[in-house]
Amino acid sequence: MATDNPDNVLFFIPDISGFTKFVTETEVSHSQHIIQELLELIVDANQLGLEVSEFEGDAVLFVRPGAPPSLDELLAQARKMFVDFHSHIKRIEILRTCACGACSSVHCLSLKFVAHCGPARTMQVKGHSKFIGKSIIVAHRLLKNQVPESEYLLVSEETLNQLADGTAAASSFECGNCSYDEIGEVAYRHHSMAPYLAEAKATVSASPA
């Protein structure tokens, strides 16, 4: 049964790109182990009180009911997860002694983030709580977009309008939009995560051997 009154919920999705090719074209045992480690790192990097709603293969669906964080906090969260993700990949590259396809191609994995906030209800299915409503559909649809790079934080314009520092803090974000079947046009802004790769390299370099 679904709840009667929808809550305002932030849906935050870190998504590992290159996952399907990585798993299907490399050794299953090692690729599974690496993906598990990366997903666990993403969860451990949570500093906004996000709740794990579910794991979706190559992504984590985080939720946070109630008032959303500021855009600065959201970007800091994405940055933390991104740096930890790429630091771990670089450690695998530096320290690996295995020449299998998974260990040698882990550098092909990338990470992007989508954030969308809106009303959503929950329903209980065999003891498991699932979110339903347009907002969670929009969040997932936004994973397919027109951003011309592979690693970024994308925040819907609707979400920015709810953040106290939304439009003011979005000066480093570029505008974009996509049209989706049965939803229509969704405007968003995106911020490149590429500048934080240097931070990941520095983190690994500063680590003891």
Side-chain angles (χ1 to χ4, degrees), residues 17 82 85-86 109-113 147 149-153 191-195 197:
S17 299
F82 182 83
F85 176 89
H86 278 288
L109 297 174
S110 58
L111 187 63
K112 63 185 179 185
F113 305 87
V147 177
E149 56 188 300
S150 59
E151 298 188 294
Y152 52 83
L153 167 63
H191 175 85
S192 174
M193 302 301 291
L197 285 170

Short mmCIF file of all heavy atoms in Angstrom, two decimals, residues 17 82 85-86 109-113 147 149-153 191-195 197:
data_model
loop_
_atom_site.label_atom_id
_atom_site.label_comp_id
_atom_site.label_asym_id
_atom_site.label_seq_id
_atom_site.Cartn_x
_atom_site.Cartn_y
_atom_site.Cartn_z
N SER A 17 29.67 4.56 -14.94
CA SER A 17 29.59 4.36 -16.39
C SER A 17 30.68 3.40 -16.84
O SER A 17 31.77 3.35 -16.27
CB SER A 17 29.74 5.70 -17.12
OG SER A 17 28.69 6.58 -16.74
N PHE A 82 33.45 11.14 -5.64
CA PHE A 82 34.24 11.09 -6.87
C PHE A 82 35.72 10.88 -6.57
O PHE A 82 36.38 10.04 -7.19
CB PHE A 82 34.02 12.39 -7.64
CG PHE A 82 34.73 12.45 -8.97
CD1 PHE A 82 34.15 11.88 -10.10
CD2 PHE A 82 35.94 13.09 -9.11
CE1 PHE A 82 34.79 11.94 -11.34
CE2 PHE A 82 36.59 13.17 -10.33
CZ PHE A 82 36.01 12.58 -11.46
N PHE A 85 36.34 7.39 -5.19
CA PHE A 85 36.17 6.43 -6.29
C PHE A 85 37.44 6.36 -7.15
O PHE A 85 38.00 5.28 -7.38
CB PHE A 85 34.97 6.87 -7.13
CG PHE A 85 34.70 6.06 -8.37
CD1 PHE A 85 33.88 4.95 -8.31
CD2 PHE A 85 35.22 6.44 -9.59
CE1 PHE A 85 33.59 4.21 -9.47
CE2 PHE A 85 34.95 5.71 -10.75
CZ PHE A 85 34.13 4.59 -10.68
N HIS A 86 37.92 7.52 -7.60
CA HIS A 86 39.08 7.52 -8.49
C HIS A 86 40.38 7.25 -7.75
O HIS A 86 41.32 6.70 -8.34
CB HIS A 86 39.14 8.84 -9.26
CG HIS A 86 38.25 8.84 -10.46
ND1 HIS A 86 38.52 8.12 -11.61
CD2 HIS A 86 37.06 9.46 -10.69
CE1 HIS A 86 37.56 8.30 -12.49
NE2 HIS A 86 36.66 9.10 -11.97
N LEU A 109 36.46 2.86 -16.07
CA LEU A 109 35.23 3.18 -15.35
C LEU A 109 35.18 4.67 -15.01
O LEU A 109 36.20 5.29 -14.72
CB LEU A 109 35.15 2.36 -14.06
CG LEU A 109 35.06 0.84 -14.23
CD1 LEU A 109 35.14 0.16 -12.86
CD2 LEU A 109 33.77 0.45 -14.95
N SER A 110 33.99 5.23 -15.03
CA SER A 110 33.82 6.64 -14.69
C SER A 110 32.59 6.79 -13.81
O SER A 110 31.81 5.85 -13.63
CB SER A 110 33.69 7.50 -15.96
OG SER A 110 32.60 7.06 -16.75
N LEU A 111 32.41 7.98 -13.24
CA LEU A 111 31.34 8.20 -12.27
C LEU A 111 30.63 9.52 -12.54
O LEU A 111 31.26 10.56 -12.70
CB LEU A 111 31.92 8.21 -10.86
CG LEU A 111 30.94 8.28 -9.68
CD1 LEU A 111 30.04 7.03 -9.64
CD2 LEU A 111 31.70 8.41 -8.36
N LYS A 112 29.31 9.45 -12.60
CA LYS A 112 28.50 10.66 -12.76
C LYS A 112 27.43 10.67 -11.67
O LYS A 112 27.15 9.65 -11.05
CB LYS A 112 27.85 10.70 -14.14
CG LYS A 112 26.87 9.57 -14.41
CD LYS A 112 26.35 9.61 -15.84
CE LYS A 112 25.38 8.46 -16.12
NZ LYS A 112 24.96 8.40 -17.53
N PHE A 113 26.81 11.84 -11.47
CA PHE A 113 25.81 12.01 -10.42
C PHE A 113 24.59 12.74 -10.96
O PHE A 113 24.73 13.70 -11.73
CB PHE A 113 26.37 12.82 -9.25
CG PHE A 113 27.64 12.27 -8.66
CD1 PHE A 113 28.87 12.62 -9.18
CD2 PHE A 113 27.59 11.41 -7.56
CE1 PHE A 113 30.05 12.12 -8.64
CE2 PHE A 113 28.76 10.91 -7.01
CZ PHE A 113 29.99 11.26 -7.55
N VAL A 147 24.58 15.86 -21.75
CA VAL A 147 25.84 16.41 -21.22
C VAL A 147 27.01 15.85 -22.03
O VAL A 147 27.13 14.63 -22.19
CB VAL A 147 26.00 16.04 -19.72
CG1 VAL A 147 27.34 16.56 -19.19
CG2 VAL A 147 24.85 16.61 -18.91
N GLU A 149 30.08 15.17 -21.67
CA GLU A 149 31.22 14.56 -21.00
C GLU A 149 30.72 13.42 -20.12
O GLU A 149 29.52 13.28 -19.89
CB GLU A 149 32.00 15.59 -20.18
CG GLU A 149 31.19 16.36 -19.16
CD GLU A 149 32.01 17.48 -18.53
OE1 GLU A 149 33.06 17.18 -17.92
OE2 GLU A 149 31.62 18.64 -18.67
N SER A 150 31.64 12.62 -19.63
CA SER A 150 31.22 11.40 -18.95
C SER A 150 31.11 11.54 -17.43
O SER A 150 30.42 10.74 -16.78
CB SER A 150 32.20 10.26 -19.27
OG SER A 150 33.52 10.61 -18.85
N GLU A 151 31.76 12.55 -16.85
CA GLU A 151 31.77 12.67 -15.39
C GLU A 151 31.30 14.06 -14.97
O GLU A 151 31.95 15.06 -15.28
CB GLU A 151 33.15 12.36 -14.83
CG GLU A 151 33.57 10.92 -15.16
CD GLU A 151 34.85 10.49 -14.48
OE1 GLU A 151 35.91 11.06 -14.80
OE2 GLU A 151 34.80 9.58 -13.64
N TYR A 152 30.18 14.10 -14.25
CA TYR A 152 29.57 15.38 -13.93
C TYR A 152 28.56 15.21 -12.80
O TYR A 152 28.15 14.09 -12.48
CB TYR A 152 28.85 15.94 -15.16
CG TYR A 152 27.89 14.96 -15.79
CD1 TYR A 152 26.59 14.77 -15.29
CD2 TYR A 152 28.28 14.16 -16.85
CE1 TYR A 152 25.72 13.85 -15.84
CE2 TYR A 152 27.43 13.22 -17.41
CZ TYR A 152 26.16 13.07 -16.91
OH TYR A 152 25.30 12.13 -17.44
N LEU A 153 28.19 16.33 -12.21
CA LEU A 153 27.04 16.39 -11.31
C LEU A 153 25.94 17.13 -12.05
O LEU A 153 26.13 18.27 -12.48
CB LEU A 153 27.40 17.14 -10.02
CG LEU A 153 26.20 17.54 -9.13
CD1 LEU A 153 25.44 16.32 -8.62
CD2 LEU A 153 26.67 18.41 -7.96
N HIS A 191 27.72 20.24 -13.78
CA HIS A 191 29.04 20.71 -13.34
C HIS A 191 30.05 19.59 -13.60
O HIS A 191 29.86 18.46 -13.17
CB HIS A 191 28.99 21.04 -11.85
CG HIS A 191 30.32 21.43 -11.25
ND1 HIS A 191 30.80 22.71 -11.30
CD2 HIS A 191 31.26 20.71 -10.60
CE1 HIS A 191 31.97 22.77 -10.69
NE2 HIS A 191 32.27 21.56 -10.25
N SER A 192 31.12 19.89 -14.31
CA SER A 192 32.13 18.89 -14.63
C SER A 192 32.88 18.44 -13.37
O SER A 192 33.28 19.26 -12.54
CB SER A 192 33.14 19.45 -15.64
OG SER A 192 34.20 18.54 -15.85
N MET A 193 33.08 17.13 -13.25
CA MET A 193 33.86 16.60 -12.13
C MET A 193 35.33 16.42 -12.51
O MET A 193 36.15 16.09 -11.65
CB MET A 193 33.27 15.25 -11.70
CG MET A 193 31.81 15.28 -11.27
SD MET A 193 31.49 16.39 -9.87
CE MET A 193 32.32 15.51 -8.54
N ALA A 194 35.68 16.64 -13.77
CA ALA A 194 37.04 16.40 -14.25
C ALA A 194 38.12 17.13 -13.45
O ALA A 194 39.18 16.56 -13.21
CB ALA A 194 37.14 16.78 -15.73
N PRO A 195 37.88 18.38 -12.98
CA PRO A 195 38.93 19.06 -12.23
C PRO A 195 39.34 18.34 -10.94
O PRO A 195 40.44 18.57 -10.41
CB PRO A 195 38.30 20.42 -11.91
CG PRO A 195 37.31 20.64 -13.00
CD PRO A 195 36.75 19.28 -13.27
N LEU A 197 39.91 15.17 -10.61
CA LEU A 197 40.79 14.03 -10.85
C LEU A 197 42.18 14.27 -10.27
O LEU A 197 42.82 13.35 -9.77
CB LEU A 197 40.88 13.74 -12.35
CG LEU A 197 39.67 13.06 -12.98
CD1 LEU A 197 39.79 13.06 -14.50
CD2 LEU A 197 39.50 11.65 -12.45
#
